[in-house]
Protein backbone atom coordinates (compact mmCIF):
# COMPACT_ATOMS: atom_id res chain seq x y z
CA UNK A 1 0.00 0.00 0.00
CA UNK A 2 1.34 3.43 -0.94
CA UNK A 3 1.57 5.94 1.88
CA UNK A 4 0.18 9.46 1.59
CA UNK A 5 3.76 10.73 1.82
CA UNK A 6 4.80 8.67 -1.21
CA UNK A 7 1.69 9.70 -3.14
CA UNK A 8 2.37 13.35 -2.31
CA UNK A 9 5.90 13.02 -3.68
CA UNK A 10 4.57 11.33 -6.83
CA UNK A 11 2.23 14.30 -7.44
CA UNK A 12 5.11 16.74 -6.88
CA UNK A 13 7.37 14.79 -9.24
CA UNK A 14 4.66 14.75 -11.89
CA UNK A 15 4.32 18.52 -11.58
CA UNK A 16 8.06 18.87 -12.15
CA UNK A 17 7.98 16.58 -15.19
CA UNK A 18 5.18 18.42 -17.01
CA UNK A 19 6.35 22.01 -16.53
CA UNK A 20 8.95 22.16 -19.30
CA UNK A 21 6.84 20.32 -21.92
CA UNK A 22 4.00 22.75 -21.18
CA UNK A 23 6.32 25.74 -21.38
CA UNK A 24 7.84 24.43 -24.60
CA UNK A 25 4.51 24.62 -26.41
CA UNK A 26 6.10 27.86 -27.55
CA UNK A 27 9.25 26.33 -29.12
CA UNK A 28 11.34 29.49 -28.85
CA UNK A 29 11.20 29.16 -25.05
CA UNK A 30 13.06 25.84 -25.18
CA UNK A 31 15.79 27.32 -27.38
CA UNK A 32 16.22 30.32 -25.09
CA UNK A 33 16.34 28.14 -21.95
CA UNK A 34 18.93 25.84 -23.50
CA UNK A 35 21.06 28.82 -24.56
CA UNK A 36 20.95 30.12 -20.97
CA UNK A 37 21.93 26.73 -19.55
CA UNK A 38 24.89 26.48 -21.94
CA UNK A 39 25.98 30.04 -21.14
CA UNK A 40 25.98 29.12 -17.44
CA UNK A 41 28.13 26.06 -18.11
CA UNK A 42 25.30 23.63 -17.29
CA UNK A 43 24.80 20.58 -19.48
CA UNK A 44 21.33 20.93 -21.04
CA UNK A 45 20.08 17.45 -20.10
CA UNK A 46 21.36 17.78 -16.53
CA UNK A 47 20.02 21.33 -16.22
CA UNK A 48 16.56 20.43 -17.48
CA UNK A 49 16.34 17.42 -15.17
CA UNK A 50 17.46 19.61 -12.26
CA UNK A 51 14.79 22.17 -13.15
CA UNK A 52 12.20 19.37 -13.00
CA UNK A 53 13.41 18.09 -9.65
CA UNK A 54 13.82 21.64 -8.30
CA UNK A 55 10.15 22.29 -9.09
CA UNK A 56 9.14 19.01 -7.46
CA UNK A 57 11.20 19.75 -4.35
CA UNK A 58 9.75 23.27 -4.12
CA UNK A 59 6.18 21.99 -4.40
CA UNK A 60 6.89 19.24 -1.89
CA UNK A 61 8.42 21.67 0.61
CA UNK A 62 5.37 23.93 0.49
CA UNK A 63 2.99 20.99 0.73
CA UNK A 64 4.83 19.60 3.76
CA UNK A 65 5.10 23.04 5.40
CA UNK A 66 1.36 23.60 5.02
CA UNK A 67 0.45 20.00 5.93
CA UNK A 68 -1.29 19.31 2.63
CA UNK A 69 -2.24 15.73 1.98
CA UNK A 70 -1.72 14.16 -1.42
CA UNK A 71 -5.46 14.56 -2.06
CA UNK A 72 -5.21 18.30 -1.38
CA UNK A 73 -2.07 18.87 -3.46
CA UNK A 74 -3.97 20.10 -6.50
CA UNK A 75 -5.15 23.11 -4.47
CA UNK A 76 -1.58 24.33 -3.94
CA UNK A 77 -1.12 27.74 -5.60
CA UNK A 78 1.60 27.96 -8.25
CA UNK A 79 2.68 31.25 -6.69
CA UNK A 80 3.57 29.43 -3.45
CA UNK A 81 5.70 26.92 -5.38
CA UNK A 82 7.43 29.76 -7.28
CA UNK A 83 8.10 31.58 -4.00
CA UNK A 84 9.60 28.43 -2.48
CA UNK A 85 11.85 27.88 -5.51
CA UNK A 86 13.61 31.19 -4.96
CA UNK A 87 12.81 31.86 -1.31
CA UNK A 88 13.86 28.66 0.46
CA UNK A 89 17.42 27.57 1.05
CA UNK A 90 18.46 24.56 -1.02
CA UNK A 91 18.75 22.32 2.05
CA UNK A 92 15.23 23.36 3.17
CA UNK A 93 13.84 21.83 -0.01
CA UNK A 94 15.29 18.47 0.99
CA UNK A 95 13.42 18.23 4.30
CA UNK A 96 10.63 15.69 4.67
CA UNK A 97 11.34 13.69 1.53
CA UNK A 98 10.36 10.03 1.35
CA UNK A 99 13.08 7.56 2.34
CA UNK A 100 12.85 5.83 -1.02
CA UNK A 101 11.46 6.80 -4.40
CA UNK A 102 9.33 4.64 -6.68
CA UNK A 103 11.09 6.14 -9.70
CA UNK A 104 14.86 5.62 -9.78
CA UNK A 105 15.23 8.81 -11.86
CA UNK A 106 13.81 10.81 -8.93
CA UNK A 107 16.22 9.11 -6.55
CA UNK A 108 19.21 10.00 -8.73
CA UNK A 109 18.00 13.56 -9.38
CA UNK A 110 17.46 14.22 -5.66
CA UNK A 111 20.94 12.88 -4.93
CA UNK A 112 22.44 15.18 -7.59
CA UNK A 113 20.48 18.13 -6.16
CA UNK A 114 21.67 17.23 -2.66
CA UNK A 115 25.27 17.05 -3.90
CA UNK A 116 24.96 20.46 -5.57
CA UNK A 117 23.35 21.96 -2.47
CA UNK A 118 26.05 20.80 -0.09
CA UNK A 119 29.06 21.20 -2.36
CA UNK A 120 28.82 24.99 -2.41
CA UNK A 121 30.93 27.24 -4.61
CA UNK A 122 30.03 27.24 -8.29
CA UNK A 123 27.31 24.61 -7.83
CA UNK A 124 25.48 26.92 -5.43
CA UNK A 125 25.45 29.58 -8.14
CA UNK A 126 24.12 27.02 -10.61
CA UNK A 127 21.31 26.06 -8.22
CA UNK A 128 20.45 29.72 -7.77
CA UNK A 129 20.24 30.14 -11.54
CA UNK A 130 18.11 27.01 -11.85
CA UNK A 131 15.79 28.33 -9.14
CA UNK A 132 15.17 31.43 -11.26
CA UNK A 133 14.35 29.18 -14.21
CA UNK A 134 11.81 27.29 -12.10
CA UNK A 135 10.24 30.56 -10.95
CA UNK A 136 10.17 31.88 -14.53
CA UNK A 137 8.56 28.68 -15.82
CA UNK A 138 5.87 28.76 -13.13
CA UNK A 139 5.22 32.46 -13.74
CA UNK A 140 4.79 31.97 -17.49
CA UNK A 141 2.46 29.00 -17.02
CA UNK A 142 0.46 30.90 -14.39
CA UNK A 143 0.07 33.82 -16.79
CA UNK A 144 -1.30 31.45 -19.44
CA UNK A 145 -3.92 30.04 -17.08
CA UNK A 146 -7.52 31.07 -17.52
CA UNK A 147 -8.05 31.46 -13.75
CA UNK A 148 -6.78 34.34 -11.62
CA UNK A 149 -4.77 32.28 -9.08
CA UNK A 150 -3.72 29.05 -10.79
CA UNK A 151 -2.96 25.95 -8.78
CA UNK A 152 -1.04 22.74 -9.32
CA UNK A 153 -4.38 21.21 -10.34
CA UNK A 154 -4.65 23.74 -13.16
CA UNK A 155 -1.23 22.63 -14.41
CA UNK A 156 -2.38 19.01 -14.25
CA UNK A 157 -5.41 19.98 -16.33
CA UNK A 158 -3.15 21.67 -18.91
CA UNK A 159 -0.94 18.56 -18.99
CA UNK A 160 -4.01 16.38 -19.53
CA UNK A 161 -5.23 18.64 -22.36
CA UNK A 162 -1.75 18.44 -23.93
CA UNK A 163 -1.89 14.62 -23.59
CA UNK A 164 1.31 14.49 -21.53
CA UNK A 165 1.95 11.08 -19.98
CA UNK A 166 1.46 10.54 -16.26
Amino acid sequence: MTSDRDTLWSRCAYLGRVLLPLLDQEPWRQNRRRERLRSWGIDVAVGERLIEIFAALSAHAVAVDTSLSAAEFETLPLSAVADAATGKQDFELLAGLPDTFADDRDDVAVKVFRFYAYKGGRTSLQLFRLSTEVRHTLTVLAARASVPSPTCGDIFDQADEAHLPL
Side-chain angles (χ1 to χ4, degrees), residues 4-156:
D4 190 63
R5 188 171 137 174
D6 292 335
T7 303
L8 176 62
W9 171 257
S10 294
R11 302 300 289 158
C12 295
Y14 178 67
L15 177 73
R17 281 194 308 273
V18 299
L19 291 179
L20 294 180
L22 288 172
L23 184 71
D24 293 347
Q25 289 178 344
E26 297 172 305
W28 63 270
R29 290 190 183 277
Q30 181 183 62
N31 294 333
R32 192 170 288 170
R33 179 182 61 253
R34 290 179 172 179
E35 286 173 18
R36 271 192 306 275
L37 290 172
R38 284 186 205 99
S39 74
W40 294 336
I42 301 173
D43 176 79
V44 170
V46 171
E48 289 182 344
R49 183 63 181 126
L50 283 171
I51 288 169
E52 291 175 8
I53 206 68
F54 210 124
L57 290 168
S58 299
H60 188 266
V62 176
V64 168
D65 287 351
T66 58
S67 301
L68 282 181
S69 68
E72 300 167 315
F73 179 73
E74 292 189 13
T75 65
L76 183 64
L78 286 184
S79 60
V81 178
D83 289 346
T86 56
K88 287 190 173 285
Q89 296 291 322
D90 303 334
F91 62 86
E92 290 178 289
L93 299 177
L94 295 166
L97 290 175
D99 297 327
T100 59
F101 299 91
D103 187 333
D104 288 340
R105 295 176 320 132
D106 290 344
D107 187 43
V108 170
V110 168
K111 286 177 180 173
V112 170
F113 184 93
R114 184 174 282 125
F115 173 74
Y116 274 45
Y118 291 110
K119 185 174 180 191
R122 184 167 188 249
T123 58
S124 291
L125 175 61
Q126 288 179 334
L127 283 182
F128 172 75
R129 288 173 170 163
L130 293 170
S131 75
T132 62
E133 283 296 308
V134 172
R135 183 175 191 86
H136 172 74
T137 299
L138 291 165
T139 302
V140 168
L141 292 176
R144 283 186 196 163
S146 59
V147 295
S149 297
T151 64
C152 292
D154 295 316
I155 293 297
F156 293 158

